[in-house]
Amino acid sequence: HYSYPSPDHHWALVVEMNGDGGWAQCRLVSLDGQQPERLAGPDGECTSAGWSPDGSWMYFTVAVEGHSHLWRQPFSEGAPEQLTSGPSEEQGLAVEPTGAVITSVGVHESAIWIHDGPSERPLSSEGEVLDGASPPAFSPDDRILYYLLRRGEGSGAELWRTAVDSGESEAVFPGIPMIAYDLSPDGKQVVYATAVPGGTTQLWVSLV
């Protein structure tokens, strides 16, 4: 999708997608074809890259474990170093002739809003509400709203519930990260999937 030539125009950092349509790790390509191409930057979703003015450093914005940050790596050998961290995320970069790196910084948040008669109001707590495999769901009596909420960088999503009338929120199973969940038709049980060491998943059932 994008390419960034080195200052001497002998190399290029290439941003590309993988076979699944997602962002791939950045690639370092020899423009004269005399050197083999190789991966560059950390193992993650690389979306932009750049070079220091003297060509001694390569810069990247890469999403690792779902969080996009600024990285750098010595050219042409050396391990990638993470430059930014925390709850904010970085997207895109440009390197000035002075060597200063410019990037955009922001915080990714999402919330649940309810339309109640003539008014609208937020229901969810601060954080990122996930709506992929398990979108928010009401209890059978429509008094409680269940949803997956991620609070903070590197944390897993927990199952939360909010009372529609009062707006009071709480974690249903504090400290238990979940991949997905489903509520029973009577609203008394929940089934949820969690990840365990070794790359496998487990399925649990519990009363709510």
Side-chain angles (χ1 to χ4, degrees):
H1 285 264
Y2 312 108
S3 59
Y4 305 87
S6 62
D8 61 9
H9 288 230
H10 290 166
W11 297 86
L13 290 168
V14 179
V15 174
E16 58 188 5
M17 284 185 163
N18 56 31
D20 298 325
W23 294 109
Q25 186 175 354
C26 265
R27 192 176 299 273
L28 182 64
V29 177
S30 171
L31 293 179
D32 57 17
Q34 299 301 311
Q35 301 290 334
E37 63 180 52
R38 58 184 184 270
L39 297 176
D43 185 5
E45 299 177 359
C46 183
T47 55
S48 60
W51 297 82
S52 63
D54 61 1
S56 62
W57 289 95
M58 302 176 290
Y59 293 93
F60 313 88
T61 49
V62 184
V64 178
E65 296 182 351
H67 300 280
S68 179
H69 290 299
L70 192 64
W71 294 70
R72 73 174 183 177
Q73 183 177 6
F75 176 82
S76 64
E77 300 293 339
E81 304 172 11
Q82 186 172 343
L83 297 178
T84 60
S85 61
S88 61
E89 298 188 44
E90 292 73 41
Q91 291 286 346
L93 68 91
V95 184
E96 290 190 323
T98 61
V101 179
I102 301 173
T103 186
S104 59
V105 183
V107 177
H108 183 71
E109 290 188 350
S110 59
I112 297 175
W113 288 68
I114 186 170
H115 179 77
D116 188 10
S119 64
E120 292 183 348
R121 54 192 172 93
L123 281 184
S124 59
S125 299
E126 182 177 349
E128 180 185 357
V129 177
L130 306 185
D131 61 352
S134 300
F138 283 102
S139 61
D141 58 9
D142 294 331
R143 298 177 59 185
I144 305 293
L145 182 66
Y146 292 88
Y147 51 93
L148 292 179
L149 181 70
R150 180 186 291 128
R151 308 182 74 187
E153 180 185 9
S155 63
E158 295 179 333
L159 181 62
W160 280 66
R161 58 186 169 200
T162 297
V164 175
D165 291 339
S166 66
E168 294 183 0
S169 302
E170 63 177 357
V172 181
F173 308 114
I176 299 180
M178 299 183 186
I179 302 172
Y181 81 97
D182 194 19
L183 196 63
S184 64
D186 61 4
K188 296 180 179 180
Q189 297 184 88
V190 64
V191 58
Y192 59 90
T194 62
V196 296
T200 60
T201 58
Q202 293 181 343
L203 206 59
W204 293 75
V205 177
S206 179
L207 297 175
V208 293

